[in-house]
Amino acid sequence: MQMLSKKAACDSHGQDSSYFLGWQEYEKNPYHEVQNPNGIIQMGLAENQLSFDLAESWLADNPDVLGLKRDGKSVFKELALFQDYHGMPTFKNELVEFMAKLRGYKVEFDPKKLVLVAGSTSANESLMFCLAEPGEAFLLPTPYYPGFDRDLKWRTGVEIVPIHCSSSNDFKITGYALEDAYEQAKKLNLNVKGVLVTNPSNPLGTTMDRDELNLLIDFAITKKIHIVSDEIYSGTVFDSTSFVSIIEAVTDRNIDNTHELWNRIHMVYSLSKDLGLPGFRVGMIYSNDETVVAAATKMSSFGLVSSQTQFLLTNMLSDKKFTSKYIEENRKRLKSRKEMLVSGLSGAGIECLNSNACLFCWVDMRHLLSSDTFEAEKELSKRILFEVGLNISPGSSCHCSEPGWFRMCFANMSQETLKVAITRIKDFVESITSSRENCNHQLTVLDSRRKSVSKWVLPLSPYDNNEPADVSPMPTSKIRLVV
C-alpha cells in the first residue's frame, strides 16, 4: 500500500534541473578567498549584496527599531501576539509608496488591492491557484526563470507552454511567437488562462519596451486572458526611465477603468532583489480584481510576513531620505558591477546581451560549444563547473531554444571575488583557443602530408591516357614506405 501522497512521491519539483545541480556542487565546495581559494564561485544566485552597508548604516542610526521600540517604549508584546493576515496597514501604505517611487510616480497603487505574502515564490503560486485550474496553462516567454517550473506548476497542477523567443531580435516577444504558443497549447488540449512575464527579465536583464507591452495587452484583450507581470527587479533598472510597468502601460492606453481587462492585470513584487532582503520573505500581489485579492489574502495565511519584519520595514521605508539615497546609490553600484563583468568577459572574447537591469548578464558562449547542440552546452556547463570552478546557469535550464547561452550573476559577491571569476574564465577560454589552434595546426600538417603523399602515389598507379585511371587506395604499407 502506498504510504505517501502522490505529491510527496513525484519528482516534478524541478530539483533535478541543471539549474539546481550546480548549486549542489557549490555547496560541497564553496569558494573562500582564504580558506578555500580553489573552491567553486557561486554565480548562479541572483542576490543583491552590493548595498548592505546602506541598510546596516540606517539600522545603526535607528537602534530602537531593532530593539522593537516605538518612541522609546517596547512594542514586543504588540508584535508577538496574533496578527491579522491582511497585514499591517502602515506597512502596506509604505509599500505602495515605495513601489510608486521606483516607477517615478507614473503609477499610483491602492493598498487595498495589495496582498502580502512570504516572497514572490508564494505570490506567483497563489496567483496560479486563483487564476487557473489544474491542467490549464500559462504562456511564458523563453528564456524564463528556472524556478517557475516549481513555483507555477508543482502544487497547482498548472501547465507552462513556452513562447519561443530568439536571439535574432534580442529575445523580444513577437506576435508570431505569441500566436504560435497559443496554437501549441490548443494542440495539447490545454486551455490558456494567461501570459506571465518577468519585467525586468530574468534571465535576460532587460526591460520590456512599449511595443512588447502593447503587443501583450492586445493579445490579452483578443484572447480574453490574464497578464501576470512579475516586477521584482523593478528597482534594479540602471536607467529608471527605461522601465515601464504593466500598470503604467495599460493606463497609458487610456483603457476605461470599467474595461474587463483591468481585472485580468496582476502584478507580483517583493523586496528580495531591490532591497537585498530575500531572507525577510516579503512578497506581494497587486490586482484590480476584488475576488482575486480576497482569495489570495485568505491563502496568505499559509505564508505570512512576520509582524516583526513588517514593523522594521515600515520604519525603514517611511524614511524618504533613506529610500531616495538607497535607490539612487544601488542603481549606480549595480551598473558599475555589471559593466565590470561585461568588460572582463569581452576581454576573454565573450559577449553579453545588452542589458539595463537585474543582478546578472545573459552571456553568449555559443562559440565555445563543440557543436550546436544542447548536449554540447551540457558538456561546456560541466567543464565550467568542475574545471573552472564557476557555477553559472545554462540556458537550457531556462528553457532557451538556442544552445550556448548562460546566466551569470555578479551582485552576490565581492569585487575581488568577481575578479577571480573573470580571471578563471579568461584562462579557460585561452586554453580552449590554444587547444583548437593546435588541433587546426595538426590538421593542416596532416592535410599537407596527404597532398605530398598523393603527388608520389598517383604516378605509381598504372593507367593509360585512353583508359580510366585505377585510383583504388594503395595498401597502407606502401603509403608508409613512400612517406
Side-chain angles (χ1 to χ4, degrees):
M1 184 176 71
Q2 176 68 39
M3 298 300 293
L4 300 177
S5 70
K6 291 180 180 179
K7 185 64 66 181
C10 77
D11 60 356
S12 60
H13 178 274
Q15 194 71 36
D16 58 348
S17 162
S18 54
Y19 174 73
F20 291 107
L21 289 177
W23 282 43
Q24 294 168 14
E25 291 303 321
Y26 163 77
E27 289 167 359
K28 296 176 188 175
N29 183 27
Y31 170 84
H32 188 280
E33 57 185 3
V34 176
Q35 298 174 3
N36 191 22
N38 295 318
I40 296 173
I41 296 175
Q42 174 62 289
M43 301 188 80
L45 177 60
E47 195 170 67
N48 184 6
Q49 298 186 21
L50 301 188
S51 299
F52 269 155
D53 60 312
L54 300 178
E56 289 177 330
S57 177
W58 185 90
L59 290 171
D61 293 338
N62 297 271
D64 270 8
V65 176
L66 280 181
L68 303 181
K69 294 179 181 180
R70 185 189 298 122
D71 299 325
K73 296 181 180 180
S74 174
V75 292
F76 174 77
K77 182 177 180 180
E78 175 186 330
L79 299 175
L81 296 177
F82 175 78
Q83 296 291 328
D84 185 275
Y85 53 65
H86 287 81
M88 295 180 179
T90 52
F91 181 47
K92 294 171 81 170
N93 288 337
E94 293 302 337
L95 267 178
V96 295
E97 162 70 17
F98 185 66
M99 289 158 62
K101 191 170 192 172
L102 289 174
R103 291 157 179 78
Y105 294 104
K106 298 174 183 176
V107 182
E108 290 185 2
F109 296 99
D110 183 350
K112 295 178 182 178
K113 298 178 179 180
L114 187 144
V115 182
L116 291 177
V117 290
S120 61
T121 292
S122 179
N124 279 308
E125 185 187 56
S126 294
L127 273 176
M128 291 302 106
F129 274 124
C130 290
L131 305 180
E133 297 289 348
E136 293 185 318
F138 260 76
L139 310 181
L140 270 69
T142 63
Y144 64 76
Y145 166 55
F148 281 149
D149 291 322
R150 168 201 64 202
D151 302 353
L152 308 184
K153 296 172 55 177
W154 187 43
R155 297 198 298 185
T156 66
V158 171
E159 297 295 333
I160 293 175
V161 177
I163 303 168
H164 289 295
C165 301
S166 166
S167 62
S168 61
N169 71 337
D170 295 334
F171 297 98
K172 292 183 184 297
I173 299 172
T174 65
Y176 171 80
L178 281 169
E179 289 292 346
D180 185 62
Y182 192 83
E183 290 303 314
Q184 287 299 319
K186 287 175 63 177
K187 290 178 182 178
L188 295 170
N189 294 317
L190 295 173
N191 180 34
V192 175
K193 295 303 296 286
V195 179
L196 186 148
V197 296
T198 55
N199 183 30
S201 168
N202 179 5
L204 301 178
T206 57
T207 51
M208 294 180 69
D209 59 36
R210 285 191 179 271
D211 287 342
E212 287 181 280
L213 289 166
N214 284 327
L215 193 67
L216 201 60
I217 293 168
D218 291 337
F219 187 73
I221 292 174
T222 301
K223 305 297 185 185
K224 298 185 183 302
I225 59 176
H226 298 272
I227 297 176
V228 176
S229 182
D230 185 326
E231 301 184 4
I232 67 172
Y233 289 98
S234 54
T236 68
V237 184
F238 315 140
D239 177 7
S240 59
T241 60
S242 63
F243 173 64
V244 181
S245 169
I246 187 64
I247 307 292
E248 180 184 348
V250 177
T251 302
D252 289 349
R253 291 280 294 266
N254 294 317
I255 296 174
D256 190 271
N257 289 339
T258 61
H259 194 287
E260 61 178 358
L261 174 68
W262 277 107
N263 280 354
R264 301 202 304 272
I265 301 294
H266 318 278
M267 196 185 84
V268 168
Y269 184 61
S270 88
L271 298 181
S272 295
K273 311 303 180 180
D274 292 352
L275 280 181
L277 302 174
F280 278 30
R281 308 310 305 145
V282 180
M284 62 218 69
I285 296 168
Y286 189 85
S287 174
N288 286 296
D289 190 311
E290 293 180 2
T291 304
V292 169
V293 171
T297 300
K298 294 169 186 173
M299 290 179 191
S300 72
S301 62
F302 296 101
L304 296 172
V305 181
S306 76
S307 54
Q308 295 91 334
T309 297
Q310 292 185 55
F311 173 77
L312 187 157
L313 292 176
T314 297
N315 283 272
M316 180 179 284
L317 295 180
S318 67
D319 187 338
K320 308 309 177 190
K321 184 177 179 181
F322 165 76
T323 55
S324 295
K325 177 184 177 182
Y326 184 95
I327 291 169
E328 181 180 0
E329 185 61 26
N330 187 53
R331 284 170 174 162
K332 287 181 180 177
R333 294 182 184 185
L334 287 171
K335 183 177 182 180
S336 175
R337 183 60 66 85
K338 172 241 175 178
E339 290 174 347
M340 177 181 170
L341 176 60
V342 170
S343 176
L345 291 174
S346 180
I350 298 173
E351 299 303 318
C352 302
L353 183 71
N354 187 29
S355 60
N356 63 338
C358 298
L359 315 175
F360 37 75
C361 290
W362 189 237
V363 183
D364 184 359
M365 296 192 186
R366 289 176 291 180
H367 62 295
L368 299 179
L369 299 180
S370 58
S371 62
D372 186 24
T373 63
F374 284 106
E375 190 61 35
E377 178 186 276
K378 183 179 180 181
E379 175 191 337
L380 178 61
S381 179
K382 285 185 174 180
R383 290 192 65 186
I384 292 173
L385 179 63
F386 293 106
E387 296 178 26
V388 186
L390 302 179
N391 176 36
I392 62 178
S393 306
S396 55
S397 71
C398 303
H399 300 273
C400 184
S401 57
E402 303 172 16
W405 291 89
F406 292 79
R407 191 191 74 167
M408 195 175 291
C409 300
F410 56 75
N412 63 323
M413 66 192 75
S414 69
Q415 184 170 299
E416 291 307 312
T417 300
L418 183 58
K419 288 180 180 178
V420 173
I422 291 172
T423 298
R424 287 185 181 183
I425 200 72
K426 281 183 177 179
D427 291 344
F428 176 66
V429 173
E430 286 177 4
S431 70
I432 290 180
T433 303
S434 177
S435 176
R436 286 180 177 176
E437 287 176 352
N438 289 336
C439 183
N440 289 336
H441 176 70
Q442 291 174 4
L443 288 174
T444 301
V445 171
L446 182 59
D447 185 57
S448 176
R449 294 174 72 181
R450 283 173 177 165
K451 289 179 180 178
S452 176
V453 168
S454 67
K455 289 180 181 178
W456 289 97
V457 172
L458 290 178
L460 296 177
S461 302
Y463 69 94
D464 186 274
N465 288 336
N466 298 319
E467 296 179 7
D470 179 6
V471 290
S472 301
M474 293 189 68
T476 306
S477 59
K478 292 188 178 180
I479 294 178
R480 286 175 177 164
L481 287 172
V482 173
V483 174

